[in-house]
Amino acid sequence: MPILAQFQAPEVQKEDKVTLADVEPESSSEEEASGEDVEKAVLSKQDAYQKKLIKLELERMVGDHRIVVPSTPAPPQSPGRSKKSVPSNLIAAKPPTALERTMNSTLGRSFTILFTMINFAVLIQLIIVWNSPAAWLSGEAVFMGSGVLLFSTNLYGFMPAMARTAGLMPINTGVDWKPYFIFYRMSFFTSVPAAVMMWMGPGARNSFGEFEGGIEDISTRDLTQGSYKYFRAYDGFVALNLTKGITETLLRTDHSENVPRKSRYRDAEVVNNYEPYSDEVQPTVPPGFQETYRIAPVFPEWAPCTTRYRISGSCLKENQVVGWALATARSACTNFRAVSCRKQQPLLDPYYHCATDSVRGAQDTGVITGLCGRSVPPPSAEVIDELNALLLLDGWPLASLANSSHGWYDVWMNDCIGGYDECEKQWSLYELLGMILIGLTAVLAVLPIFVDCYFDKQIRRAQDFVESCKKSTTKSTAVF
């Protein structure tokens, strides 16, 4: 029994069945735990990445990124350093264009030289005539002056560049295989003093203008108004004691306590009485000051009543005003409607008998006539209007007030008015030197044309000879 009991089959233990309901809760909890771990890992990586970016940005902003230069010199190298350059025989020149080939020919060089001489001739002509009185009266002076600048720039700026294209200048290597072109380049050096001499000679003569009448054989009543002609009259007296000053300002301002008005022109309060115990004081310069005019009446004859600091109506009736002496002062700034950039003190200093026995009106207190000067155009209507307002305040009658039909004269002394013959000799000397330099410039510029034509002709003959030799050699070789 016991033995049978030992060999008896073991009891089969009853296993418990595991269902899906029992497994699901454990798997879902594991998945949730793993998802949270992954999310935490991702967040930690993002935080670490952001911290790294911030750290790099801070290092970039506050860090010192300068290149550290050692205090010791660099050690010598063997072989030593040398500048590398491409051999000249390996450099391929840029092929010339059709225009460059045309310019770099006999015809192109001849055209360049002739165009240079035409430019030079026009420049000389403009230098002579641009500042003449006729040009100013016709309004062409500004355009001619601009032409002088234009042709000067063209002659000394554009023409050398054009000459380089035409082969009249040395090439980049410094080789001048046609050395006679140096005469063309020398013409630029002689053209400068030629232009200066023509400006100081005939240019100054034309700028001076012409005389109206002879030496003290014309009256101030017979002068042509605004003609820019000089005169040496036998009569005429400038009353400096009655000088009025007018100041032009940049903006319209209120002025004149007696008769208030608003304009750009105001009384300059010129001091005429410098005698002892005079109560006149020097005025201050108004703000926005631009230009000053000084104007004094011109009478046909000297009279005692015209030499006082105040003139009566009866004196004006007996001594009619025949014109006005005018002095102005401008600067480069006022020409551009800017505030004056220099001190302006125009002076009226008339001269009498300038061709015979010159006398300065500011230093002579006696009886004097025989005014010398130049007829100029009248000032603007605003200046004349302000002048008349000042004259009315001094009690001048309406018939004696200034107007544009009166004569206006520039009485500043010009040495050529009295000594015209000396000035003419000087102008003629400068003109002669200028003509010599102009002729030398023309010869230096035009001579290379003929030499170049001759040499190019010889070169073409040599080329034709070489070509004919090649052809003859080829034919004889083919026969044999």
Side-chain angles (χ1 to χ4, degrees):
M1 222 28 218
I3 297 173
L4 293 173
Q6 291 179 358
F7 290 96
Q8 190 176 1
E11 295 181 358
V12 179
Q13 296 180 358
K14 186 178 180 181
E15 296 180 358
D16 296 335
K17 293 183 179 179
V18 180
T19 62
L20 183 61
D22 297 333
V23 178
E24 261 184 349
E26 295 180 0
S27 61
S28 62
S29 60
E30 292 177 358
E31 289 178 357
E32 290 178 358
S34 61
E36 292 177 358
D37 295 339
V38 171
E39 186 176 356
K40 289 180 180 180
V42 171
L43 292 175
S44 63
K45 288 183 179 180
Q46 290 180 352
D47 293 339
Y49 182 71
Q50 290 180 355
K51 291 179 181 179
K52 186 176 181 180
L53 288 179
I54 294 174
K55 182 180 179 181
L56 293 175
E57 185 67 18
L58 290 175
E59 290 179 356
R60 186 187 67 81
M61 295 175 63
V62 302
D64 188 4
H65 301 286
R66 291 179 297 179
I67 299 175
V68 179
V69 180
S71 58
T72 58
Q77 294 184 356
S78 180
R81 294 182 178 180
S82 60
K83 185 179 179 181
K84 305 298 182 181
S85 59
V86 180
S88 58
N89 57 347
L90 298 180
I91 299 176
K94 183 180 178 180
T97 62
L99 179 60
E100 291 175 346
R101 289 194 300 269
T102 304
M103 292 296 298
N104 196 6
S105 63
T106 306
L107 182 61
R109 286 189 287 270
S110 301
F111 172 77
T112 302
I113 294 174
L114 292 177
F115 187 64
T116 303
M117 292 309 302
I118 292 173
N119 194 336
F120 176 65
V122 174
L123 176 61
I124 293 296
Q125 183 65 23
L126 289 176
I127 287 176
I128 293 174
V129 303
W130 82 270
N131 199 30
S132 63
W136 284 106
L137 290 174
S138 62
E140 298 176 353
V142 177
F143 299 100
M144 290 184 179
S146 302
V148 171
L149 297 177
L150 177 63
F151 279 91
S152 300
T153 305
N154 186 55
L155 179 61
Y156 299 106
F158 174 73
M159 291 309 303
M162 185 176 177
R164 184 175 298 277
T165 305
L168 294 170
M169 298 292 181
I171 58 179
N172 297 332
T173 58
V175 178
D176 196 358
W177 66 283
K178 288 186 175 181
Y180 49 85
F181 286 149
I182 192 175
F183 295 115
Y184 171 77
R185 299 192 288 272
M186 289 175 59
S187 66
F188 285 93
F189 293 95
T190 58
S191 65
V192 176
V196 173
M197 290 296 103
M198 296 305 289
W199 160 248
M200 298 175 63
R205 184 190 294 117
N206 287 339
S207 300
F208 179 80
E210 301 176 353
F211 278 105
E212 188 169 11
I215 300 177
E216 298 184 11
D217 61 353
I218 190 172
S219 173
T220 52
R221 298 184 179 91
D222 302 330
L223 298 176
T224 304
Q225 302 170 9
S227 61
Y228 283 113
K229 292 183 178 180
Y230 287 94
F231 61 87
R232 294 166 289 189
Y234 62 81
D235 61 355
F237 167 70
V238 180
L240 297 178
N241 49 294
L242 300 175
T243 300
K244 296 295 180 182
I246 298 174
T247 299
E248 179 184 359
T249 57
L250 185 61
L251 302 176
R252 294 163 55 91
T253 57
D254 296 320
H255 57 93
S256 183
E257 297 180 356
N258 299 324
V259 183
R261 52 192 182 275
K262 186 175 183 179
S263 66
R264 293 179 51 246
Y265 298 88
R266 58 190 300 167
D267 185 8
E269 303 177 7
V270 175
V271 177
N272 296 322
N273 188 358
Y274 290 96
E275 296 180 3
Y277 308 105
S278 174
D279 58 351
E280 296 187 10
V281 295
Q282 291 288 348
T284 58
V285 178
F289 165 80
Q290 280 200 308
E291 187 176 1
T292 298
Y293 301 84
R294 295 216 174 176
I295 306 172
V298 178
F299 298 97
E301 299 292 339
W302 182 94
C305 63
T306 60
T307 61
R308 300 171 183 172
Y309 295 108
R310 291 279 183 174
I311 190 170
S312 62
S314 59
C315 181
L316 288 171
K317 290 182 180 179
E318 296 175 0
N319 302 274
Q320 295 291 331
V321 177
V322 295
W324 301 87
L326 174 66
T328 60
R330 296 192 68 88
S331 65
C333 299
T334 56
N335 291 333
F336 294 99
R337 303 301 302 165
V339 178
S340 178
C341 51
R342 68 178 179 87
K343 189 176 181 180
Q344 297 184 8
Q345 289 183 345
L347 297 177
L348 283 174
D349 192 5
Y351 276 73
Y352 301 89
H353 304 293
C354 55
T356 54
D357 186 13
S358 180
V359 178
R360 291 183 59 182
Q363 298 178 352
D364 189 88
T365 57
V367 179
I368 189 171
T369 54
L371 182 65
C372 297
R374 186 180 192 180
S375 298
V376 295
S380 61
E382 293 84 355
V383 176
I384 298 177
D385 182 68
E386 182 64 23
L387 173 62
N388 289 335
L390 300 179
L391 296 178
L392 287 174
L393 291 176
D394 289 345
W396 281 52
L398 295 176
S400 301
L401 296 182
N403 56 69
S404 58
S405 62
H406 282 168
W408 295 83
Y409 312 121
D410 179 9
V411 295
W412 186 259
M413 181 57 183
N414 190 324
D415 295 335
C416 294
I417 300 178
Y420 181 80
D421 294 336
E422 295 296 329
C423 291
E424 179 61 32
K425 291 180 181 179
Q426 188 176 9
W427 294 335
S428 300
L429 177 61
Y430 288 140
E431 184 178 9
L432 177 61
L433 294 176
M435 295 301 295
I436 293 174
L437 290 172
I438 288 175
L440 179 60
T441 302
V443 171
L444 291 175
V446 176
L447 180 62
I449 294 180
F450 301 98
V451 180
D452 189 48
C453 290
Y454 174 77
F455 272 87
D456 285 353
K457 180 181 178 181
Q458 298 299 323
I459 291 173
R460 283 191 290 270
R461 289 182 61 185
Q463 289 176 347
D464 294 340
F465 176 75
V466 171
E467 293 294 331
S468 62
C469 289
K470 288 181 179 180
K471 292 179 181 178
S472 61
T473 304
T474 303
K475 291 181 179 179
S476 60
T477 303
V479 170
F480 288 102

